[in-house]
Structure formats: C-alpha cells, structure tokens
Amino acid sequence: MCAAMAFTLSEIMAARRQQQQTQRGVRGVVEVDEYSANPTQAFTFYNINQGRFQPPHVHMVDPLPHDTPKPPGYTRFVCISDTHSRTDTIQMPYGDVLLHAGDFTELGLPSEVKKFNDWLGTLPYEIKIVIAGNHELTFDQEFMADLIKQDFYYFPSASKLKPENYENVQSLLTNCIYLQDSDVTVRGFRIYGSPWQPWYYGWGFNLPRGQALLDKWNQIPDSTDILLTHCPPLGFLDWVPRKMQRVGCMELLNTIQRRVQPKLHVFGHIHEGYGMMTDGTTTFINASACTVNFQPMNPPIVFDLPNPRSS
C-alpha cells in the first residue's frame, strides 16, 4: 500500500468508534472529516477499516418498474435529474410527486428556464419540486456577479447577460416549488433541497470541501424525510470511471448517516452514477437522465413511500 493510503492504529480505532455510533443509530454532531479533501482516499480508508460501503448493509437496489401498481396508502415519487434542456424525448411515468435534482438547463439562461418551466406545465403530477445544479449559473447570484466582471468570457452566453435579465430568474419557475437551502412539507413528507457541491471546475454553486460545505449541510433539519441535493454523498453512486475517482461529499455522507437519516436522498450531477443504493436506513437515488455523453437515455426512477400517519 502506498504511503498516501497508510493509516495509523489511532485513525483506525477512531473510524471504528464512529462506525459503531452510526450502526447504533446515534444522531450526533458532524464535524469536518480528516479525509474530506480527498474523497477517493476517504472511501478507501473507511472501506478498509469499517467496511462502510460494503454489503450486506450497503447494496445496490433495482429500480421499480414504471408499471408496478402503487400500494394503497403510499405516495409515488418520480425522481429525475440532469435533463440539461433535453426533455423532449423523456417518457415520464405515473406518480404523485416529481423531484428534480438540478441541472435542468445548460447554462441557466432565462430562455432555457422558460422552456423547462413550460415542460413542467405539461406534466400531470400533483406536486413538482425542483432544485438548481451547477449548470444553473444564473441561480447563483454571487457566481454571476463575479462572471460578468471577467475580461474573458468563460461562459459567453451567460456572461453577456445583464443583471436585470436574470436577477429574478427563480420567478420563471411558475409550475413547481423551487427549493434552495429551504424545505417544504407535502403529503406529510418534509422535503429539503440544496444545490451546493464540492468545487467542480468553474461552474455554479461550488464550495470548497470541508467546513464551507458542512455549513450548508448543517442547515438540513433533523426531521427531513426526503433530501434533495445536486451532488452525491461519498461512496454512493459517485464513481467517475474515466478519472478513477470518487467525487462525492464526505460531509454530506456524514450528515445523512450520523444526523439527518432521511428515508430518501435524491441527487444527480455524476451522470455515470445513475441508479439506486441503500444503507438500510436511507435509499440513495442518482436520477441523472443524461449519460456521460449528455444523451437523455436514463429513465426517471420511481420510489414509493408509505404516507406518514397523521397525529
């Protein structure tokens, strides 16, 4: 094993104590992980010393066939992400609530947002919930403020926009509930949405790994039933084969497993990670519609949850 992957006995024992707490279901305070800056190393460390990402407690799940009857007393969630203005050919299944985990445009241009909103208006779901992703540049006001000051145009179409053309871009989403570090309760389920991600080239909603992202995840309420983020947590549908790297967020994983423990976590961002996994408490869905080549080939994933009992 190379030096970068060598771990001390104290590190191993600390990792095992953390794993025991997680297995007992103890909800604790989440701190920045010592391996936060290197997700691939973090995955290796925790897999070797905890078996944290190994069966039987962590395993893949086959998506539910779209024609499966919904059980009585359940709500069917239709999960999709990373449609990138390519919705024309996507066949949408029956369901009650649509969850879109971001990257619904190429650059967040107002014309793209309007097109997406028009598409949402054609869908029959009772409730539609949407978050932004790194491609929704105009939804990240600080990003746009910096972009238009640059002498070169990294994103020409977006950087030439005038502020008055995008400062209220969220208001164009009239056919859905838009969440940004906020929550909504529908059908008794508390749903929280957040667009942030570990720094990814020069796109929107980027934050450094570690405390900056943890500060965002700390806003997620403990009582969240469904978590909607654009980025994946470490080790769950976050593998990028062409780079041989894990790219998920360590702090997001720890927040989910050690504190929030939602029933469902829906995300996208990593097109190659499309699919479902579970750790026995949370079902993780990477709902990326587009493949790595930006072809909308992956069908939406449906998931049924029993309706909460009214008190």
Side-chain angles (χ1 to χ4, degrees):
M1 183 177 293
C2 65
M5 293 297 179
F7 307 110
T8 67
L9 179 60
S10 62
E11 289 176 328
I12 293 171
M13 295 305 293
R16 288 177 178 170
R17 285 194 297 272
Q18 291 173 347
Q19 176 72 352
Q20 289 170 356
Q21 285 186 337
T22 300
Q23 290 173 341
R24 288 196 298 266
V26 176
R27 297 196 183 199
V29 176
V30 177
E31 298 179 349
V32 173
D33 194 277
E34 60 184 312
Y35 297 108
S36 177
N38 190 330
T40 304
Q41 183 184 25
F43 179 87
T44 301
F45 172 71
Y46 288 114
N47 225 16
I48 291 174
N49 300 303
Q50 296 180 351
R52 190 169 177 179
F53 303 101
Q54 296 177 5
H57 53 283
V58 172
H59 57 87
M60 297 295 294
V61 179
D62 291 329
L64 195 68
H66 288 178
D67 59 356
T68 303
K70 185 184 71 170
Y74 278 66
T75 293
R76 175 157 294 181
F77 294 89
V78 177
C79 308
I80 194 168
S81 184
D82 295 79
T83 48
H84 292 288
S85 295
R86 293 166 171 81
T87 55
D88 293 345
T89 61
I90 297 176
Q91 298 297 312
M92 299 300 294
Y94 160 80
D96 302 303
V97 179
L98 176 70
L99 302 175
H100 195 300
D103 276 8
F104 48 86
T105 67
E106 290 282 6
L107 295 172
L109 302 178
S111 59
E112 296 175 320
V113 179
K114 289 177 182 176
K115 179 184 176 182
F116 174 69
N117 186 66
D118 289 344
W119 176 72
L120 288 176
T122 68
L123 303 179
Y125 307 112
E126 176 187 345
I127 301 163
K128 305 157 194 176
I129 299 175
V130 174
I131 66 169
N134 57 289
H135 277 252
E136 276 71 68
L137 304 181
T138 57
F139 285 68
D140 186 343
Q141 296 294 310
E142 291 186 11
F143 173 89
M144 289 299 295
D146 290 337
L147 183 67
I148 61 177
K149 294 176 184 177
Q150 297 175 1
D151 293 331
F152 64 95
Y153 293 135
Y154 186 48
F155 298 105
S157 299
S159 58
K160 293 179 182 178
L161 289 172
K162 296 180 180 180
E164 57 267 27
N165 292 335
Y166 64 81
E167 58 188 359
N168 293 315
V169 68
Q170 296 179 10
S171 66
L172 298 176
L173 292 176
T174 59
N175 291 320
C176 67
I177 299 169
Y178 175 73
L179 298 180
Q180 184 169 317
D181 301 319
S182 57
D183 68 278
V184 64
T185 298
V186 297
R187 290 188 163 215
F189 297 95
R190 189 173 189 179
I191 304 173
Y192 186 92
S194 181
W196 303 96
Q197 64 187 356
W199 193 91
Y200 183 76
Y201 297 99
W203 292 88
F205 293 108
N206 282 339
L207 286 173
R209 293 182 181 272
Q211 191 64 54
L213 277 166
L214 181 57
D215 288 344
K216 295 297 183 182
W217 310 141
N218 281 341
Q219 298 178 38
I220 303 170
D222 287 352
S223 57
T224 297
D225 298 302
I226 299 172
L227 179 60
L228 196 59
T229 65
H230 184 56
C231 73
L234 176 70
F236 287 83
L237 308 165
D238 68 330
W239 176 247
V240 180
R242 68 185 184 277
K243 294 186 177 181
M244 298 294 287
Q245 291 179 348
R246 295 277 172 182
V247 297
C249 179
M250 187 77 231
E251 276 62 54
L252 180 56
L253 176 67
N254 287 339
T255 297
I256 289 169
Q257 292 187 329
R258 296 177 183 166
R259 183 174 66 80
V260 180
Q261 299 174 14
K263 299 177 180 69
L264 181 63
H265 179 207
V266 182
F267 51 90
H269 187 46
I270 305 304
H271 296 187
E272 303 95 319
Y274 172 82
M276 295 177 63
M277 291 181 73
T278 182
D279 65 0
T281 298
T282 300
T283 297
F284 299 85
I285 296 179
N286 182 327
S288 297
C290 282
T291 64
V292 68
N293 296 319
F294 283 79
Q295 298 301 310
M297 303 295 291
N298 298 326
I301 293 177
V302 299
F303 191 79
D304 294 337
L305 279 175
N307 297 330
R309 295 180 180 178
S310 57
S311 56

